[in-house]
Amino acid sequence: MGGAMLNVDEEILLNQLAQGIASNPEGDAWFGAQSEDDKRRLLRGLSNFILQARPKPEDVVVAIAESRLKPTLTPCVLIAMPNLRVQLAKLVMLPEFELPRVFRLLIELLAVADGRRRKERPLDRINHWWHRDLGDPDVVNDIKRMRDAGLLESLLSFVRTETLTRKQITLGTDIARDLGVDGDDARELVRRFGEQFNVDMSEFDFDMYFGSEGFELSGLVKTLLGRRTKAPMTVELLFGAAKQRRWSRNSGA
């Protein structure tokens, strides 16, 4: 059960909360410590989980009761209205003071809907990692290892395809120095990377890693001299961003 713009630790914790493995106070404290932007991002991911669980109208009624929120509160009123997908989008955009209530309500809805589906059909522990025992640390670590291995394989394939290189690609490969990608080509690679791996690149500083392209001799000299001062843009940095689903301002600094 994957959520847009969520890293694997966040995905696991949200499912642990819905399954009662992690406590509600723990979840409330964790959510409350997030920035406003991250709260909305987490709620979008949680909304995706809920839509995958295909809740029924009766699930919503139970979730409101289990949340112990007053049915007259805005989050409860919205979620009980027709067209759940539309209402979930509205919930994410409520004022910040409402977001903890939205979080509690959506966790309960995921718990109810997913719990019902588990009773209706056999668990698929092979294709659905969230059906495994998320209360077992060894299982959780195994899930993370498997997710990381699959992600790295996809990333290496992406770099080969985007750069058309026949060179061996490793975590230490520098996109600019080793593969010769710079300027507009680098901008396009970064854009495609963000889209394909669902990574928030809003904090990415292009000039920190890449220079401009050009065929004039003066431009080439400037590029070669400037390259010495550029931070290395390695595959390892891309891998870290892909795992966290965001580019950190301090990456490679």
Side-chain angles (χ1 to χ4, degrees):
M1 188 175 292
M5 303 298 285
L6 301 182
N7 62 49
V8 65
D9 292 311
E10 292 167 341
E11 291 183 356
I12 289 174
L13 179 55
L14 290 175
N15 278 278
Q16 287 174 329
L17 288 167
Q19 295 175 28
I21 297 169
S23 68
N24 287 335
E26 179 184 356
D28 291 343
W30 171 72
F31 185 78
Q34 307 295 320
S35 68
E36 180 178 350
D37 286 345
D38 280 339
K39 288 175 182 174
R40 298 188 190 281
R41 177 179 59 83
L42 290 167
L43 291 175
R44 290 188 183 96
L46 186 50
S47 296
N48 285 340
F49 290 164
I50 289 169
L51 292 173
Q52 290 176 43
R54 299 181 181 179
K56 297 181 178 180
E58 53 266 34
D59 295 334
V60 174
V61 174
V62 175
I64 292 174
E66 292 292 331
S67 72
R68 298 185 180 180
L69 296 173
K70 293 182 179 179
T72 54
L73 291 174
T74 300
C76 298
V77 172
L78 285 176
I79 206 168
M81 296 176 68
N83 198 332
L84 181 61
R85 184 181 295 272
V86 171
Q87 304 313 323
L88 288 172
K90 291 180 180 178
L91 288 171
V92 172
M93 298 309 298
L94 286 176
E96 185 178 9
F97 76 88
E98 292 276 22
L99 300 185
R101 295 171 179 167
V102 175
F103 179 71
R104 185 190 309 176
L105 181 59
L106 295 192
I107 287 292
E108 292 298 340
L109 181 54
L110 178 60
V112 174
D114 188 52
R116 173 182 51 76
R117 283 171 63 86
R118 286 168 179 263
K119 295 176 182 178
E120 293 176 348
R121 60 182 63 185
L123 297 181
D124 182 358
R125 294 184 175 88
I126 296 177
N127 298 308
H128 297 162
W129 59 261
W130 55 93
H131 286 173
R132 299 177 65 184
D133 182 4
L134 299 183
D136 185 335
D138 291 336
V139 170
V140 171
N141 288 332
D142 185 55
I143 291 171
K144 292 180 180 180
R145 283 193 297 269
M146 292 178 62
R147 292 282 297 275
D148 284 354
L151 180 61
L152 179 57
E153 183 178 349
S154 296
L155 177 60
L156 294 177
S157 176
F158 168 82
V159 173
R160 292 190 194 98
T161 300
E162 291 295 319
T163 62
L164 301 177
T165 185
R166 294 183 178 180
K167 296 181 179 179
Q168 181 181 7
I169 306 296
T170 68
L171 287 173
T173 298
D174 187 316
I175 301 298
R177 287 184 176 86
D178 298 331
L179 304 182
V181 178
D182 229 338
D184 291 341
D185 288 341
R187 290 185 187 278
E188 183 64 11
L189 183 146
V190 170
R191 184 188 69 79
R192 289 180 182 274
F193 167 74
E195 289 181 352
Q196 182 163 327
F197 293 92
N198 209 3
V199 177
D200 178 0
M201 299 296 289
S202 59
E203 294 188 358
F204 180 72
D205 182 355
F206 182 86
D207 294 331
M208 180 176 177
Y209 303 95
F210 297 106
S212 59
E213 292 175 314
F215 296 99
E216 295 182 1
L217 181 59
S218 60
L220 177 60
V221 172
K222 290 180 180 178
T223 298
L224 291 175
L225 292 176
R227 174 53 56 200
R228 297 176 184 173
T229 65
K230 299 294 183 181
M233 165 56 77
T234 63
V235 172
E236 185 173 13
L237 289 180
L238 294 176
F239 184 46
K243 288 197 294 183
Q244 294 302 316
R245 298 294 179 93
R246 66 172 63 192
W247 183 273
S248 171
R249 183 179 290 109
N250 297 322
S251 294

